[in-house]
Amino acid sequence: EATRTQLGYARDIEEMIKTLPQHTCSWLKGKSTLFKYQDFWSYEEIIKEVVLAQQSLKAHPTDVFLCSYPKSGTTWLKALVFAIITREKFDESNSPLLTTMPHNCIPFLEVELEQTIASQGNSSFVATHLPYNSLPKSILASNCKMVYIYRNVKDVIVSYYHMAREAVKLPMEDAPFEEAFDEFYHGFSVYGPHWDHILGYWKASMERREIIFFLKYEDLKKEPSINVKKLAEFIGYPFTIEEEKAGVIESIIKLCSFENLSNLEVNKNGYANEMIENRLFFRKAKDEDWKNYFTDEMIEKIDNLIYEKLGAIGLVL
Ligand code: A3P
């Protein structure tokens, strides 16, 4: 509580939130209300932390930010980065990843703000779902490196659908996918609209190529070695020739694979916080699972929208 006061936690943030546009998600049976802060939607609790982060974060030039729209491979990216940066101390036999959920290995800026601030000045790795334009200004001013992971929008929607309904304990029969799709399509999703999120980072990366690294979930799956090597180089932990020869890259890929992580006790039965079970972050990890959910009409609608929003930048989702 003292730290919160020091951080400038004040009633006026709560007052400010009351003035924001609100949206109650009908497909979640009114169990979830989003607020529009700056240009994105999120939960009240998160927005409070975002405001504090924007006011108080003093990023260090060596901090690296792992950025993503939710359900785009954040957990996987955190695991890989953690394994890369700790590889001198740990390997697949004793890594903390065997007993700790990846989200608890690298903090989220807007969820674990105090932890993030405490680790600053320490070349810290921090994750965030914040849109580029809402990042605390000191991150931009310090020229911090950012890794942006993104994924096929249709798979993101399906993954989001399951996470959002599981978070409020709604079975599938009570949460029609068509309605969830419709809301997402209209931009009502946590940290949404999704396409604006991608566009924000993409535009920034055009001007700041050397500090924003775009990584596609599907590419990481298709060519893990090449992409993990590039990732390690980008974050300043390149593999040596000896390490490559010794198969260190492959061991890290195996340690962080869905098959391995999703079968660990901590990820099967643990809790990320009071509400969310760790297993929810390890659902299926199948490409094109969307084919089991989308009607032809939905495919056409979302394809047209993505083309309209992102066609010009030529990003294939
Ligand atoms: P599905 O819901 O399609 O299964 P995030 O980590 O951003 O919340 O994204 C979650 C998605 O990434 C889920 O997709 C999850 O199964 C998948 N995922 C989690 N860990 C993974 C891993 N180690 N490798 C590949 N995909 C993973």
Side-chain angles (χ1 to χ4, degrees):
E1 196 51 43
T3 325
R4 292 203 163 273
T5 312
Q6 285 160 11
L7 286 171
Y9 179 77
R11 281 262 161 264
D12 47 325
I13 297 182
E14 277 172 21
E15 291 303 316
M16 180 281 289
I17 290 176
K18 282 190 200 137
T19 67
L20 299 177
Q22 288 185 29
H23 175 83
T24 299
C25 303
S26 56
W27 75 276
L28 290 168
K29 305 288 174 279
K31 292 183 186 197
S32 171
T33 298
L34 300 175
F35 293 79
K36 193 170 197 179
Y37 174 64
Q38 298 179 336
D39 288 322
F40 70 98
W41 292 96
S42 196
Y43 301 121
E44 183 173 0
E45 301 68 43
I46 292 181
I47 295 172
K48 278 184 200 162
E49 296 295 297
V50 171
V51 176
L52 287 176
Q54 291 176 335
Q55 288 172 355
S56 56
L57 188 89
K58 294 199 176 44
H60 193 267
T62 54
D63 292 344
V64 177
F65 288 82
L66 309 180
C67 312
S68 60
Y69 184 82
K71 314 324 294 172
S72 304
T74 322
T75 315
W76 192 14
L77 179 63
K78 279 191 179 190
L80 285 168
V81 166
F82 184 81
I84 292 170
I85 66 178
T86 59
R87 67 183 188 269
E88 287 201 348
K89 268 202 258 173
F90 307 115
D91 60 23
E92 67 274 24
S93 68
N94 62 358
S95 173
L97 285 164
L98 299 171
T99 49
T100 316
M101 208 278 182
H103 288 297
N104 295 332
C105 294
I106 294 186
F108 265 119
L109 169 63
E110 64 273 26
V111 181
E112 288 121 331
L113 182 60
E114 288 171 27
Q115 195 184 331
T116 304
I117 288 176
S119 64
Q120 268 163 6
N122 221 350
S123 296
S124 50
F125 285 79
V126 181
T128 183
H129 287 316
L130 274 176
Y132 184 82
N133 290 330
S134 292
L135 288 173
K137 294 288 169 268
S138 80
I139 297 178
L140 310 185
S142 306
N143 276 323
C144 296
K145 284 187 179 175
M146 300 174 206
V147 179
Y148 187 79
I149 189 159
Y150 68 105
R151 184 185 187 189
N152 176 304
V153 64
K154 299 188 193 89
D155 281 328
V156 169
I157 296 176
V158 170
S159 187
Y160 182 87
Y161 163 72
H162 287 293
M163 178 60 102
R165 84 177 167 72
E166 294 261 19
V168 296
K169 313 240 172 326
L170 265 189
M172 276 178 76
E173 52 280 20
D174 295 339
F177 180 74
E178 310 78 83
E179 285 179 31
F181 170 83
D182 211 50
E183 294 230 325
F184 196 101
Y185 177 84
H186 287 103
F188 300 123
S189 60
V190 184
Y191 296 97
H194 167 269
W195 34 92
D196 289 349
H197 201 281
I198 296 194
L199 200 56
Y201 280 92
W202 183 261
K203 279 187 182 157
S205 78
M206 292 291 101
E207 285 156 26
R208 321 179 88 205
R209 266 177 216 277
E210 61 305 335
I211 60 163
I212 308 183
F213 177 66
F214 263 65
L215 183 57
K216 191 174 178 189
Y217 176 92
E218 289 80 6
D219 289 347
L220 189 52
K221 249 194 191 169
K222 250 186 269 156
E223 296 187 307
S225 306
I226 294 176
N227 285 295
V228 167
K229 207 174 144 182
K230 279 193 203 158
L231 173 64
E233 260 164 37
F234 180 78
I235 62 175
Y237 287 75
F239 292 101
T240 60
I241 308 273
E242 293 71 39
E243 281 181 313
E244 278 192 45
K245 281 196 194 137
V248 175
I249 302 181
E250 281 65 35
S251 304
I252 287 177
I253 292 169
K254 207 164 149 214
L255 170 67
C256 299
S257 68
F258 181 78
E259 292 63 35
N260 187 44
L261 294 184
S262 64
N263 284 309
L264 297 171
E265 182 59 24
V266 61
N267 296 329
K268 280 202 286 198
N269 296 315
Y271 276 76
N273 58 44
E274 314 85 68
M275 292 242 312
I276 310 270
E277 295 164 73
N278 290 346
R279 66 171 181 88
L280 300 178
F281 290 94
F282 302 92
R283 195 183 63 91
K284 265 188 170 178
K286 284 267 171 307
D287 288 346
E288 304 194 331
D289 188 33
W290 62 265
K291 291 191 172 160
N292 298 314
Y293 296 81
F294 275 63
T295 62
D296 289 346
E297 193 192 335
M298 288 176 196
I299 296 172
E300 199 184 327
K301 269 179 91 168
I302 196 75
D303 283 349
N304 286 342
L305 182 72
I306 292 294
Y307 184 75
E308 180 195 314
K309 301 283 182 186
L310 303 180
I313 63 173
L315 255 194
V316 184
L317 288 186

